[in-house]
Amino acid sequence: ILLAIVGLLAVIFLIIGGFRYITAGGNEETAEEAKKTVTNAIIGIVIVILAFVIVRVISNALITQEV
């Protein structure tokens, strides 16, 4: 559940960063801040996906392990 919440937050930040970039209106500072927001949101999404995959692989390995 926590991974889903964090993933949703990362997507929201991606949308906010994109909106800020579009509405920057030629202002370099605002555009750079928006680019950083988008970059950090993408990094966050990648981390969430990798964490989900790691948890899934480990749980499958523990569940299917035969004694």
Side-chain angles (χ1 to χ4, degrees):
I1 296 174
L2 187 60
L3 286 174
I5 293 170
V6 173
L8 182 62
L9 273 173
V11 170
I12 290 171
F13 273 103
L14 182 64
I15 292 169
I16 291 171
F19 182 76
R20 288 179 60 199
Y21 184 73
I22 289 172
T23 59
N27 187 350
E28 285 293 322
E29 281 185 27
T30 308
E32 282 300 317
E33 289 177 14
K35 284 181 187 178
K36 287 180 184 177
T37 302
V38 169
T39 303
N40 291 336
I42 291 173
I43 291 170
I45 291 171
V46 169
I47 289 172
V48 168
I49 291 171
L50 289 175
F52 178 76
V53 168
I54 290 170
V55 168
R56 190 71 148 185
V57 167
I58 290 174
S59 67
N60 283 342
L62 292 176
I63 290 172
T64 59
Q65 184 181 20
E66 293 184 26
V67 179

